Amino acid sequence: MTPPLLSLDDLSVGFTRYTGVARTRTVTGVTSLSLDIAPGEILAVIGASGSGKTLLAQAILGILPANATVSGRITFDGTPLDERRLRKLRGREISYIPQSVNNLDPLMTVGKQVRIGLDPPTAREWQRALFSRYGLADDVARRYPFQLSGGMLRRVLFATSVRDTVRLVIADEPTPGLHADAVAEVLRHLRELAEGGASVLLITHDIFAATAIARRVAVMHEGALRTVEAASAFTGDGDDLEHPFARALWRALPQNQFSPGSEPWRSS
Ligand SMILES: Nc1ncnc2c1ncn2[C@@H]1O[C@H](COP(=O)(O)OP(=O)(O)OP(=O)(O)O)[C@@H](O)[C@H]1O
Ligand code: NI
């Protein structure tokens, strides 16, 4: 077996909340999560809002909120991923496609934003190549984010995030609010990255987007990884799904066999 590209071992993220003078309480965001991603694998992470998906991404990228505490081990390409190494890899070997297009700078032209981090002598050339790869016309480079459509902004986010040196792409909810064609386009771009050899961690609410391109689907609930299922098991009645939680999640979808009371995220 090929060794994993990324390995999470007993990863926890917590928050300290001040509940009074000199009194604190720790709130858990992610609990003892262990997970591997193989080189070139597309792994989807699904789970309800607040289940810890974005925290998981931020923990890998070393960009957790300042009030978060993290424990556990993260290994990238066989070596621990510490802060010093992350600074070198982020934006080069590890890319982040953030949850919101609001992460773009509203006061900078999108061309300039795409050129950030590119080698100055060839930055313009690379930016043009990235624009053409993501179907953006050359003159779009001179525009500001507010002058672009939602679909174009998504493509700009890809162009700012993805470098040809990339080995791990973390995409946080890249498809919400997009119509079917645009979703298909985003998924195609992610698949292309994987075909180029990169591992892709796709965070999404959308089981159908997840199973369309991922080989495995990790299911999170209240900060814990409940199960990792084969994407192909999310079909029919869900009988092939290994974990009852995944089965319940699948069957609770209105288009499957929805039955009141089967909502697994409503924990008692
Ligand atoms: N800065 C913070 N301080 C305190 N708690 C936080 C902070 N950021 C996140 N949390 C908590 O951690 C939990 C997980 O948040 P996270 O953003 O990872 O959820 P998510 O699965 O990405 O949700 P969504 O699908 O809505 O994006 C939430 O309950 C949230 O309240
Ligand atoms: Ni999130």
Side-chain angles (χ1 to χ4, degrees), residues 106-263:
L107 302 176
M108 197 190 281
T109 64
V110 295
K112 204 164 177 186
Q113 296 190 58
V114 168
R115 291 195 293 274
I116 293 174
L118 294 175
D119 260 353
T122 50
R124 217 161 264 277
E125 208 176 303
W126 270 113
Q127 175 246 302
R128 281 209 198 95
L130 284 163
F131 267 47
S132 115
R133 172 171 179 185
Y134 291 115
L136 294 159
D138 270 350
D139 63 322
V140 171
R142 288 192 297 276
R143 296 203 221 159
Y144 291 87
F146 78 92
Q147 298 171 307
L148 302 185
S149 72
M152 289 164 100
L153 289 172
R154 279 273 149 220
R155 295 188 217 163
V156 169
L157 268 187
F158 266 79
T160 56
S161 310
V162 172
R163 299 293 177 250
D164 62 344
T165 46
V166 72
R167 299 173 72 196
L168 172 66
V169 178
I170 301 178
D172 193 353
E173 304 272 8
T175 59
L178 298 184
H179 57 82
D181 289 353
V183 171
E185 182 186 291
V186 167
L187 297 178
R188 179 167 57 79
H189 288 148
L190 291 172
R191 195 185 283 133
E192 277 168 12
L193 290 167
E195 282 163 4
S199 306
V200 176
L201 188 70
L202 167 63
I203 294 174
T204 180
H205 278 117
D206 184 344
I207 295 191
F208 296 101
T211 55
I213 61 166
R215 184 167 66 86
R216 295 187 300 151
V217 178
V219 185
M220 287 189 70
H221 178 61
E222 294 179 350
L225 176 63
R226 284 298 182 92
T227 173
V228 182
E229 301 280 350
S232 58
F234 288 91
T235 182
D237 290 343
D239 287 340
D240 292 342
L241 292 163
E242 294 198 0
H243 197 286
F245 185 82
R247 272 199 297 274
L249 190 72
W250 177 246
R251 288 174 185 166
L253 291 177
Q255 50 275 66
N256 295 335
Q257 27 165 261
F258 180 74
S259 59
S262 68
E263 300 96 321

